[in-house]
Amino acid sequence: DQQVKQNSPSLSVQEGRISILNCDYTNSMFDYFLWYKKYPAEGPTFLISISSIKDKNEDGRFTVFLNKSAKHLSLHIVPSQPGDSAVYFCAASETSGSRLTFGEGTQLTVNP
Amino acid sequence: EPEVTQTPSHQVTQMGQEVILRCVPISNHLYFYWYRQILGQKVEFLVSFYNNEISEKSEIFDDQFSVERPDGSNFTLKIRSTKLEDSAMYFCASRGGISNGYTFGSGTRLTVV
């Protein structure tokens, strides 16, 4: 199932700098997108979402950008903090209530 | 903050045995889900449950799987005859309304030997 793809398995950034996590999708029926963060031995924790009628949504240090024509979304974390070190999953659904299709995840490491 | 509770955190079972994974969703949530993640693979949708019935299920959710909400608080996933390939982390999730985000539990690691 390659409908949602995160091409970078890992990303390392310095504390205080910007982290940019990328996600691509192929299913044009997706219209709701989410980012989750996951620590070891815990379940995914919801971070931020965006519907297809928007191209940007911001919540504190986290901003999600959606480029529908490119079928691409990204998560920006500014400034990055060591506590942000986790696996980040991109997920998509056809409506805000239907099943989530996840990407592979990107391990973010923020170095002090 | 309200949370989704899953028990046990780790279950080891013999191939062919039945296993029941338990979840207590957030009390006023209406939509319930099971997802799983096989080691090294993506998180995959299994089933969604609303109004005491399955609302959607994936190709993975075959006759070996069933879900139940036996009382007002628990939501269970039963695997009737476990296979080695059922070994995975199983996540329960719940949602309050159609436009609300999911809250996931910490997962049950199922190991079939």
Side-chain angles (χ1 to χ4, degrees):
Chain A
D1 177 3
Q2 297 292 308
Q3 293 189 78
V4 178
K5 193 130 183 70
Q6 294 174 257
N7 287 310
S8 299
S10 63
L11 174 68
S12 185
V13 300
Q14 284 299 119
E15 181 177 5
R17 307 295 289 268
I18 185 170
S19 295
I20 300 177
L21 298 116
N22 293 302
C23 178
D24 297 292
Y25 63 96
T26 57
N27 186 347
S28 56
M29 297 298 291
F30 287 147
D31 72 351
Y32 192 65
F33 304 90
L34 309 91
W35 283 94
Y36 282 84
K37 177 168 79 171
K38 187 180 179 306
Y39 294 115
E42 293 185 15
T45 302
F46 171 74
L47 273 177
I48 192 168
S49 63
I50 189 167
S51 76
S52 60
I53 61 173
K54 293 186 164 188
D55 55 17
K56 177 182 173 182
N57 188 26
E58 196 169 349
D59 184 2
R61 296 186 298 116
F62 302 92
T63 303
V64 55
F65 295 92
L66 175 63
N67 182 334
K68 278 189 70 178
S69 60
K71 293 193 175 68
H72 177 84
L73 64 154
S74 61
L75 174 69
H76 293 208
I77 307 173
V78 182
S80 302
Q81 299 172 354
D84 295 330
S85 298
V87 177
Y88 287 78
F89 290 99
C90 166
S93 67
E94 293 187 12
T95 65
S96 68
S98 62
R99 66 164 79 179
L100 296 177
T101 300
F102 282 85
E104 298 87 342
T106 297
Q107 172 70 58
L108 173 66
T109 303
V110 180
N111 302 302
Chain B
E1 185 164 333
E3 57 181 33
V4 175
T5 305
Q6 289 188 245
T7 55
S9 56
H10 191 188
Q11 171 114 29
V12 181
T13 189
Q14 292 230 315
M15 193 168 56
Q17 294 295 304
E18 175 183 286
V19 67
I20 297 176
L21 309 182
R22 302 181 192 279
C23 170
V24 179
I26 294 172
S27 62
N28 61 349
H29 280 190
L30 303 174
Y31 299 84
F32 313 109
Y33 307 84
W34 285 99
Y35 285 77
R36 78 173 184 189
Q37 186 179 27
I38 295 170
L39 190 63
Q41 297 186 23
K42 293 183 178 186
V43 177
E44 304 172 289
F45 168 78
L46 291 177
V47 66
S48 59
F49 192 86
Y50 170 70
N51 201 25
N52 284 318
E53 61 183 25
I54 290 173
S55 47
E56 189 180 3
K57 60 183 181 179
S58 73
E59 313 69 40
I60 303 166
F61 195 88
D62 61 21
D63 292 344
Q64 292 299 310
F65 291 87
S66 62
V67 288
E68 220 180 19
R69 188 153 161 81
D71 52 41
S73 59
N74 291 285
F75 179 51
T76 62
L77 174 69
K78 183 193 290 186
I79 309 174
R80 285 190 187 79
S81 177
T82 49
K83 303 188 275 269
L84 295 176
E85 54 265 37
D86 294 327
S87 295
M89 195 75 168
Y90 287 80
F91 294 106
C92 173
S94 70
R95 195 159 56 85
I98 202 80
S99 59
N100 299 121
Y102 287 64
T103 302
F104 282 85
S106 296
T108 293
R109 180 168 298 285
L110 176 66
T111 303
V112 182
V113 297

